């Protein structure tokens, strides 16, 4: 139904920046919102950020504290997560997700892209 492919992960030093991309295809527009989640081995999935395709609503996890910015390119079915001020605690596998707002809820996740922050 919906295919999500992430890219942009990698190794970065603490304090550095990284931009993740997510390409959505398939029946993407049956969902009005996209999000980013992250997960480390042995822990549950953690919400990072979400945005509507129209860009009129955004929501962030409490830990973000202004360091990350989510954006959406509705015309090209792309979602981005600009991350700055990275620290080793941000090391995780980051996945994008398709879902809805009001309330935020997500049904499809991509395979993920690994982000590793070295100290």
């Amino acid at each position: 139904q919906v295919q999500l492919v992430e890219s942009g992960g990698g190794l970065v030093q603490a304090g550095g920046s990284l931009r993740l991309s997510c390409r959505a295809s398939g029946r993407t527009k049956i969902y009005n919102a996209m999000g980013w989640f992250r997960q480390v081995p042995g822990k549950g999935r953690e919400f990072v950020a979400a945005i509507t395709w129209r860009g009129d609503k955004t929501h962030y996890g409490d830990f973000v504290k202004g360091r990350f910015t989510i954006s959406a390119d509705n015309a090209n079915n792309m979602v981005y997560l600009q991350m700055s001020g990275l620290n080793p605690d941000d090391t995780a596998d980051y996945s994008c997700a398709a879902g809805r707002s009001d309330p935020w809820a997500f049904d499809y996740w991509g395979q993920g892209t690994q982000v590793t922050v070295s100290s």
Side-chain angles (χ1 to χ4, degrees), residues 74-119:
N74 193 8
N76 293 298
N77 293 339
M78 295 291 296
V79 180
Y80 304 98
L81 184 68
Q82 179 67 49
M83 305 186 292
S84 60
L86 288 164
N87 60 67
D89 289 339
D90 294 316
T91 294
D93 186 72
Y94 285 72
S95 301
C96 69
R100 296 167 298 278
S101 61
D102 302 316
W104 300 100
F106 297 89
D107 296 328
Y108 287 93
W109 279 266
Q111 293 295 310
T113 185
Q114 178 67 35
V115 172
T116 302
V117 185
S118 63
S119 58

Side-chain angles (χ1 to χ4, degrees), residues 3-21:
Q3 293 79 44
L4 304 171
V5 179
E6 303 91 340
S7 61
L11 176 64
V12 62
Q13 289 187 333
S17 299
L18 210 58
R19 189 176 85 150
L20 305 182
S21 301

Side-chain angles (χ1 to χ4, degrees), residues 5-100:
V5 179
E6 303 91 340
S7 61
L11 176 64
V12 62
Q13 289 187 333
S17 299
L18 210 58
R19 189 176 85 150
L20 305 182
S21 301
C22 174
R23 179 176 298 279
S25 61
R27 302 181 65 190
T28 57
K29 293 310 188 290
I30 65 175
Y31 298 100
N32 78 319
M34 296 291 291
W36 285 96
F37 290 77
R38 69 184 189 181
Q39 189 169 21
V40 298
K43 292 188 177 181
R45 186 182 286 136
E46 181 178 33
F47 171 74
V48 178
I51 188 170
T52 54
W53 275 116
R54 292 173 57 185
D56 58 336
K57 296 180 182 179
T58 58
H59 182 51
Y60 292 92
D62 290 340
F63 71 90
V64 171
K65 297 180 180 177
R67 299 181 300 132
F68 299 175
T69 302
I70 190 171
S71 60
D73 180 351
N74 193 8
N76 293 298
N77 293 339
M78 295 291 296
V79 180
Y80 304 98
L81 184 68
Q82 179 67 49
M83 305 186 292
S84 60
L86 288 164
N87 60 67
D89 289 339
D90 294 316
T91 294
D93 186 72
Y94 285 72
S95 301
C96 69
R100 296 167 298 278

